[in-house]
Amino acid sequence: MARENPAAFFFCRFAFWMVASVLLSGCAAITAQPETSQAEALPFIRQGDAAYERMAFEAAWEAYRKAETAGARSGVVFYRMDTLNAILRKSHRETAEVQYRKETRRLLDEEYRGGKGGPAVYFYLAQLMEGGEGSASHRHRLYAEAVRKFESGGFERLETGDMEKLGRMYQFLGLPEKAEKLFLQAQAMDSRNAFAAYGLGQFYRQAGRHRAALTEFERFTGIVPDDKEGRLLLGETAYALGQYARAEKAFETALALGPAAPEARNGLRRAREALERRGALQKEQAVLAWDTGFKTRLLPLTLPSDGLRLSGGGLGPPAVSGEGDIAFAAGEERRFNLYTLSGNGVDLARRISSSSGFTSFEREEKRLMVTVDIGPRLEVGAFDIQKGTMRVIHRGECQHPYLSERHRALLCGTPGGVLLVDPVAGHASTVFREPRARHPRLGGRGQTIILAERGEVIWLDRTGQEQGRHRIPGQEADASYPDFSPDGLWIVSGESGLHLTSVKEKVSVPLDHPALEGAGRAAFDAGGGAIVFVREGRLYRLELPKEMEGFFALQHARVLIRGNKPGAAARLLKNLPSGERGRFAYQLLLGEALMGLNVHEEAEASLNRAGELEPKDWRAPFLIGKLRAARKDWAGALRSLDRAAHLAPDRYEVYLARAQAHASAGRRQAAAQDYQAALRHAEKTPGVKADAAVLGLLDAYVREGRIDEALLLLIDRAGSLSPQTLHTVRTAARYQPLQRDSRLREILGLPREAALRDSSEPSSPAEPVEFIPYRANVFIDDNPSPVPSEVISEEGGEVTIRAFGIVEKYPRGRLRIVR
């Protein structure tokens, strides 16, 4: 379509639609005239229709001109001819303004009043009336009349253009389902009808159904490859779907068709920026392998460079819409900006300023964010992203605001507790009276309120009746920023480490994967299959396992085992559905729990099954090796630990366990080599404390009389050892040869006058020795199974331990203590 004159662009775009839809009606309304004239004109009208359906405007205009010359007197033909004169510049005017002939209006009016016109007559007459002395009410009246006539069967045989025109009428009248049906009927009657594809694409685009719209715009540009507007629409729709390479190609083609078009240039720039940004984000995507056998995807949503665009240093908790878009605040103190971010992390836009770092995002089609403005009084309002306007909902104290207009609820933190405000009726009530309550959120289909209070997450109904609570282990901040899953079954919370809480069981587990260290301020997405969270000033999306209950149960069992609660872990695992028992992680955790209960045969059977399920995983042979060592089966233990070292040649704990087995079997040289290997791998493993390996290697050196090597080891390692370990070096009986060496005092940085004493000598009141309790596995007498204990004192030849809540004192010779 010619659009060389920019001033005429808007008109031509409008006229394009007007002409298109009428031409497709088949010019059914031809006024009464001699049969000879009608017969001569009809072939030219059909030629014009066929050409125009494929947007061959020159050929269409020539055919309609011949029809007019042959005597056709139709309001529809005249209207098209007048519009085509402007579009194709057939008139001698310099502008593209349509000059409708008086005869055009007269013919359309006659056809309408005579009841001989098709749907196009109603449509074009409405355009003339609205553009002249009429108004929008004329269009509504004529469209409604045409629709009633259609539904009562008043029109004669309808062509593809008639169906498309009726679809537009239904759309204007607010009946989208019927409009879509008619658009599809028009397309079914003629798949090469460009205007049916164009109309259906615009219909889907306006409804937000971008994938369907893309199909139609691809169909349209396939019919009319040189139409610039079609390429622009194709590019915009592909961009909305995140298909940036497809959008780039469409905008490039549009720019080639009309180099002066700013829409094409801007679209091409946006598409290329999106491709570059998406590529940078994709490079950082990672698959997280959990110890419990699950795998999840972690996707960054912002880049490190975004920190330059975001105001301040802190990011507020994100809120996720039903379409996947994200709203969040960035700033500090009482100065924030509110931003939106597309679900794929590409489109980041500043929306409005705020004094609150909290946002909410409607999960339906309306996208509203809550903001708090500072003025003579606090105001909480809803900001409409599309219109750019804010509507005040509440005036007064409101910290951590959360709005859901769909559920008629605004939640506020106040000095008196949590306030529930009805944004429609305006009345407010305190539903939770606790001044330390914070971060209230709405969940459970709008019927449940969740909040953080001290170190607990609490959920209650909208009347304030408590439904459940759970204390998050650790610091108080770990309960911060709680959010419900859409199904109301799970809660995610945390400020400097994420916890997942089961509403049903009122139990939580840490999401403690190393890649999530320091994560916090999380929110579920609309489907509940992922969480969006903040970490180190950036936003990330973590896709959760589909088998959430199994994932949670195994994570919980793992926490219980690490917390020296093997009985609770074993009960939990035994009660899981039988389908979980085919998992490697299930058998591994069950074996470890049974080990803690000294049920050795069943433990080894479970660990063997784990090894069969994952023969290349080092953990099953490692635990079997530890189990056999506990039973003093040194040969069997070393075989299993050799296998574990072969499968995991860089694991610190494998070499440590094998060194301890060698030492217990009297193989001091092999033990020393493994302790040295353990220390080398500890240096490469972040977060590993190598104290146990240092003590083991010291013991091996001392037993072989290699005091100089022991002192050199302390020179290298003393700075990284804990005070408790250093105290052991100074006082434990097995290091007596080392303690008698005067050089130890210098290495440990002790005062010159503080002489080291024989640990077997009693402490003098003037020289008290500070003892730091520590946890260890204690073997009593010849019992092959360790007792998880806390060593609370070592005095002379006696050791006092606390095990299972009971404190007892033993002679040192009866005990073997393994840290």
Side-chain angles (χ1 to χ4, degrees):
M1 191 190 305
R3 294 188 185 127
E4 296 176 5
N5 184 351
F9 176 76
F10 177 80
F11 167 76
C12 292
R13 192 169 182 174
F14 173 79
F16 177 92
W17 256 108
M18 301 304 100
V19 174
S21 53
V22 176
L23 286 171
L24 294 179
S25 68
C27 299
I30 301 178
T31 56
Q33 53 189 292
E35 291 184 5
T36 303
S37 299
Q38 289 189 45
E40 293 176 356
L42 191 57
F44 296 117
I45 293 174
R46 288 174 176 167
Q47 289 176 19
D49 289 346
Y52 206 88
E53 287 174 4
R54 288 149 183 80
M55 288 180 62
F57 292 140
E58 292 280 357
W61 189 87
E62 290 292 341
Y64 291 133
R65 184 184 62 81
K66 292 177 181 178
E68 187 179 7
T69 302
R73 291 295 178 267
S74 163
V76 172
V77 171
F78 274 50
Y79 191 97
R80 277 192 228 118
M81 288 294 296
D82 294 345
T83 306
L84 281 173
N85 275 331
I87 293 175
L88 300 176
R89 306 285 179 90
K90 290 298 180 182
S91 65
H92 294 291
R93 294 178 177 272
E94 291 298 322
T95 67
E97 182 181 356
V98 178
Q99 298 296 317
Y100 291 108
R101 291 170 285 179
K102 291 182 179 180
E103 190 173 7
T104 300
R105 169 62 183 270
R106 179 182 61 78
L107 288 171
L108 284 171
D109 194 60
E110 285 180 0
E111 292 164 8
Y112 164 69
R113 295 183 184 281
K116 298 180 180 179
V121 172
Y122 288 82
F123 184 83
Y124 279 109
L125 187 59
Q127 306 310 310
L128 286 175
M129 294 175 72
E130 189 172 345
E133 74 280 5
S135 65
S137 62
H138 290 90
R139 193 194 317 189
H140 193 283
R141 177 179 60 82
L142 285 168
Y143 285 4
E145 187 177 334
V147 164
R148 285 195 298 271
K149 187 174 180 180
F150 166 69
E151 291 180 349
S152 64
F155 290 119
E156 295 179 2
R157 182 173 176 270
L158 298 178
E159 302 292 339
T160 178
D162 297 314
M163 293 299 185
E164 181 265 338
K165 187 61 60 190
L166 284 165
R168 294 189 60 198
M169 292 181 185
Y170 274 109
Q171 187 177 6
F172 177 84
L173 295 172
L175 300 167
E177 292 182 0
K178 292 185 177 180
E180 180 184 11
K181 182 178 179 180
L182 285 163
F183 280 133
L184 290 171
Q185 286 180 352
Q187 196 172 75
M189 294 171 73
D190 183 359
S191 62
R192 296 287 295 170
N193 186 328
F195 300 106
Y198 179 92
L200 196 55
Q202 285 283 42
F203 172 82
Y204 288 139
R205 184 167 178 257
Q206 292 167 13
R209 297 166 61 182
H210 297 295
R211 194 167 301 281
L214 184 68
T215 299
E216 297 307 323
F217 289 136
E218 286 178 335
R219 191 193 310 272
F220 175 74
T221 54
I223 299 169
V224 195
D226 296 332
D227 185 77
K228 182 174 67 178
E229 183 183 1
R231 295 292 176 178
L232 287 172
L233 289 169
L234 180 62
E236 292 292 347
T237 307
Y239 188 96
L241 286 168
Q243 298 182 15
Y244 304 118
R246 183 74 182 90
E248 179 187 36
K249 183 178 179 181
F251 288 129
E252 285 176 341
T253 305
L255 195 61
L257 293 170
E263 300 99 325
R265 287 198 304 274
N266 291 337
L268 184 59
R269 174 186 55 80
R270 288 188 294 115
R272 287 175 175 171
E273 288 176 354
L275 283 169
E276 182 179 355
R277 182 179 176 90
R278 186 177 67 179
L281 291 170
Q282 287 178 338
K283 287 180 181 179
E284 293 191 54
Q285 289 186 18
V287 176
L288 307 187
W290 296 77
D291 287 343
T292 48
F294 291 85
K295 291 184 178 181
T296 58
R297 277 207 314 159
L298 181 65
L299 304 91
L301 298 178
T302 56
L303 296 169
S305 58
D306 291 330
L308 301 175
R309 299 176 59 184
L310 305 176
S311 64
L315 300 186
V320 188
S321 77
E323 297 175 350
D325 294 331
I326 300 160
F328 66 96
E332 50 195 13
E333 295 181 356
R334 300 188 70 83
R335 300 183 63 182
F336 296 89
N337 283 326
L338 302 183
Y339 295 84
T340 58
L341 178 69
S342 58
N344 59 6
V346 170
D347 290 319
L348 175 64
R350 178 187 173 276
R351 295 299 180 176
I352 194 173
S353 296
S354 166
S355 66
S356 173
F358 288 78
T359 60
S360 65
F361 210 155
E362 282 294 322
R363 290 182 173 177
E364 284 69 41
E365 292 184 3
K366 266 190 173 180
R367 302 177 183 178
L368 299 173
M369 296 186 295
V370 172
T371 182
V372 181
D373 288 338
I374 294 295
R377 57 198 301 184
L378 295 176
E379 293 183 343
V380 182
F383 178 71
D384 190 314
I385 294 175
Q386 295 175 336
K387 297 179 181 178
T389 58
M390 193 187 86
R391 176 170 53 85
V392 175
I393 292 176
H394 175 69
R395 291 181 172 89
E397 184 72 31
C398 187
Q399 299 298 320
H400 318 150
Y402 182 86
L403 172 72
S404 175
E405 287 203 316
R406 179 180 176 222
H407 298 112
R408 293 179 59 171
L410 169 66
L411 295 173
C412 299
T414 71
V418 175
L419 194 69
L420 175 62
V421 181
D422 186 328
V424 178
H427 79 267
S429 61
T430 301
V431 293
F432 188 76
R433 298 186 182 279
E434 170 54 63
R436 284 166 290 196
R438 61 195 189 278
H439 315 150
R441 288 292 183 263
L442 203 65
R445 297 181 176 84
Q447 301 306 307
T448 308
I449 298 169
I450 184 174
L451 50 92
E453 190 267 317
R454 298 185 184 180
E456 294 183 307
V457 290
I458 304 171
W459 51 102
L460 47 140
D461 63 24
R462 292 177 65 163
T463 69
Q465 183 68 37
E466 185 176 310
Q467 296 179 330
R469 67 169 60 207
H470 176 68
R471 175 168 291 280
I472 303 295
Q475 299 178 356
E476 180 178 332
D478 288 340
S480 299
Y481 308 101
D483 187 59
F484 261 119
S485 63
D487 57 14
L489 297 177
W490 308 99
I491 298 168
V492 64
S493 60
E495 164 68 4
S496 56
L498 295 176
H499 282 82
L500 186 66
T501 301
S502 167
V503 172
K504 178 181 177 182
E505 299 178 23
K506 299 179 185 177
V507 171
S508 72
V509 298
L511 298 177
D512 55 356
H513 193 283
L516 304 181
E517 184 177 353
R521 305 186 179 192
F524 282 96
D525 68 3
I531 56 173
V532 177
F533 64 88
V534 176
R535 181 175 183 264
E536 297 178 350
R538 296 175 63 185
L539 285 169
Y540 293 83
R541 180 190 302 276
L542 174 68
E543 295 181 356
L544 297 171
K546 293 181 180 178
E547 311 90 343
M548 276 288 286
E549 290 190 2
F551 172 74
F552 183 87
L554 293 180
Q555 287 289 114
H556 187 200
R558 176 174 167 270
V559 169
L560 292 171
I561 292 170
R562 301 297 183 269
N564 289 322
K565 296 180 180 178
R571 288 195 305 272
L572 171 63
L573 292 166
K574 291 285 189 178
N575 290 329
L576 288 181
S578 58
E580 295 292 334
R581 299 179 186 182
R583 289 184 180 276
F584 163 76
Y586 173 90
Q587 296 295 344
L588 191 74
L589 289 169
L590 181 60
E592 193 169 1
L594 294 173
M595 277 178 63
L597 293 172
N598 297 328
V599 185
H600 291 163
E601 290 187 7
E602 263 198 68
E604 187 164 354
S606 187
L607 293 172
N608 281 325
R609 284 195 290 273
E612 292 168 1
L613 290 168
E614 292 288 347
K616 294 184 179 180
D617 194 288
W618 64 275
R619 286 172 290 177
F622 170 70
L623 290 175
I624 292 172
K626 292 189 69 174
L627 176 64
R628 290 174 175 173
R631 292 157 56 181
K632 296 186 179 181
D633 176 8
W634 310 121
L638 289 170
R639 282 197 304 273
S640 294
L641 291 171
D642 286 345
R643 172 67 177 164
H646 174 73
L647 293 171
D650 56 352
R651 300 296 303 198
Y652 159 80
E653 55 266 60
V654 173
Y655 291 101
L656 177 63
R658 194 168 69 175
Q660 291 168 341
H662 278 306
S664 298
R667 301 173 180 176
R668 294 173 185 170
Q669 187 173 358
Q673 291 175 349
D674 271 344
Y675 280 130
Q676 290 168 348
L679 289 174
R680 287 196 302 271
H681 292 294
E683 292 174 350
K684 304 173 186 177
T685 309
V688 169
K689 282 295 204 178
D691 292 34
V694 172
L695 291 177
L697 188 55
L698 276 176
D699 185 56
Y701 285 156
V702 168
R703 287 177 182 274
E704 293 185 355
R706 298 159 64 180
I707 302 301
D708 286 350
E709 290 178 74
L711 292 172
L712 288 172
L713 175 63
L714 284 174
I715 290 173
D716 290 338
R717 301 285 175 174
S720 63
L721 297 177
S722 69
Q724 180 179 310
T725 301
L726 292 173
H727 178 76
T728 301
V729 173
R730 292 170 54 194
T731 61
R734 63 183 180 275
Y735 301 123
Q736 282 184 11
L738 187 63
Q739 294 160 3
R740 294 191 185 103
D741 194 302
S742 60
R743 292 173 292 177
L744 181 62
R745 181 172 59 249
E746 297 292 333
I747 292 171
L748 298 183
L750 299 174
R752 287 182 179 273
E753 62 273 12
L756 290 174
R757 61 172 178 80
D758 191 317
S759 61
S760 63
E761 298 176 2
S763 300
S764 67
E767 293 182 319
V769 177
E770 179 186 2
F771 181 83
I772 302 174
Y774 59 92
R775 299 192 68 83
N777 285 325
V778 178
F779 295 86
I780 303 173
D781 296 327
D782 293 329
N783 193 325
S785 302
V787 178
S789 308
E790 182 183 14
V791 180
I792 58 178
S793 73
E794 294 179 355
E795 297 179 359
E798 291 186 323
V799 179
T800 304
I801 66 172
R802 180 187 289 112
F804 307 110
I806 300 173
V807 177
E808 290 193 63
K809 191 176 291 187
Y810 292 89
R812 178 176 294 277
R814 292 182 58 192
L815 303 181
R816 184 166 64 89
I817 301 173
V818 178
R819 296 202 178 201

